[in-house]
Amino acid sequence: MANLTNIRPAQVFPPGYFIKDQLEQRQWNQNELAEVLGITPRHLSQVMNGEAPLNYDLAIQLGQVFDTSPQLWSNLYLSYAMWNEEAEEEASATEVKAGIYERMPIRDMVKKGWLKEPKNLKDLGQQVAKFWGKDDADLSFIDTEYSPCLNRSTTSKANQYNTSYALTWYRKASMCAEKREVPTYNKKKLESLYDNLYSYTAKTASIKVYLEKLNECGVKFLVLPHLEKTYLDGAAFKQGSNPVVVYTARYKRIDSFWFTLAHEIAHVLLHLDKQRPIILDDLHEGEATEMEKEANELAGEKLRHAEIAARFRDSGQVHPKRIEACAQLYGVHPSIVAGKLAHDGLAGYRVVQRYSEDVLGHIPRSYLN
């Protein structure tokens, strides 16, 4: 059996609802009742609408006029006032919750284990405040503290991109990066490692080696899945003096991993500065900005894309043997050849699928978040 003590009426009516019923029975109007009670019609209207209190003196008068107890009218007013107050509190709570969900993909964050399932609004507010390192859950600071620092990779997008969700992802990425310890950043060492990037792509076992050397250059690397409505492939940003490179594994193919990594390292070397401290990349949608075109060009150079494209200019049939021979010639993984050909429209993605091994199986778990 339901616990009736926890049942709350959907709506409680103001005293006027019942006063009108009494007036109709007597064929009176509000002006006549106001005159009988000795109050102004305006005051009576406010009492009936719940806009003015129905005090005990007026309850006595109403009891005398309508042949009821004064308690009836006092109780009707008290019930309405209490219900109205609770309704206003609930509306306010709903507004606060809606504001948080608009700025943060709470359900997706709970699913990923970034937040616990909120017990109530207070618990949600406390978790949100802790996530951002703030005293409360007021998220208006995102517009002033975070948004001006963001550089998106594309100038337009058909998808429903949510900037606040993307900045929520960035906050989590920066929190994960704080836990990683690397030496002082060495730009020259990174440039040398970057120049030889292609040579590490040939064997999947070299992924681990390259990431270790990347850390030795003072670059923090980590894998963090993207959030809904962010469409992120990767990111580059500074944490103190150390650059951070993040891979989302949105596309888990080996060629996607190497191109995203090469692209983000290009940002580290070319673009990260005080004016562009956060770069979030969607490498598949929208029109690329000039900055992104530069990063794409440099990443393609390090992965020998021009040489691969030149090898297939004869428009001959693209088949696995040609792809693997090209990969061996230029010292890269076959997936990089297949991915470049598919990107240029020279091969279908069935060819890419042949080499679509999940790269996460080759990235040490210590980098996964």
Side-chain angles (χ1 to χ4, degrees), residues 296-310:
N296 283 339
E297 183 177 348
L298 189 56
E301 176 187 321
K302 301 308 176 185
L303 290 170
R304 313 197 75 172
H305 279 181
E307 293 94 324
I308 292 169

Side-chain angles (χ1 to χ4, degrees), residues 183-221:
T184 302
Y185 173 52
N186 188 320
K187 185 176 181 180
K188 288 185 178 181
K189 195 172 182 178
L190 177 62
E191 289 173 337
S192 176
L193 180 66
Y194 192 42
D195 286 340
N196 293 301
L197 181 143
Y198 77 92
S199 65
Y200 289 85
T201 70
K203 297 180 179 179
T204 54
S206 296
I207 292 175
K208 177 177 180 292
V209 177
Y210 195 85
L211 294 179
E212 289 173 350
K213 290 184 176 294
L214 192 63
N215 282 181
E216 290 172 6
C217 294
V219 178
K220 297 183 178 185
F221 173 82

Side-chain angles (χ1 to χ4, degrees), residues 19-30 33:
I19 293 175
K20 285 180 181 178
D21 184 58
Q22 294 292 330
L23 292 176
E24 289 174 3
Q25 292 181 31
R26 292 165 174 75
Q27 296 185 343
W28 289 3
N29 59 42
Q30 287 185 211
L33 177 60

Side-chain angles (χ1 to χ4, degrees), residues 327-352:
Q328 187 173 9
L329 176 65
Y330 294 119
V332 297
H333 194 278
S335 67
I336 291 175
V337 178
K340 171 59 178 172
L341 295 178
H343 179 270
D344 292 350
L346 299 176
Y349 275 91
R350 281 189 178 182
V351 175
V352 176

Side-chain angles (χ1 to χ4, degrees), residues 73-89:
W73 301 104
S74 292
N75 290 340
L76 286 172
Y77 170 71
L78 183 60
S79 295
Y80 173 74
M82 291 176 64
W83 178 89
N84 197 44
E85 183 178 354
E86 290 179 8
E88 288 179 356
E89 288 178 356

Side-chain angles (χ1 to χ4, degrees), residues 33-44:
L33 177 60
E35 186 175 344
V36 170
L37 295 172
I39 60 177
T40 65
R42 183 171 181 273
H43 185 199
L44 177 59

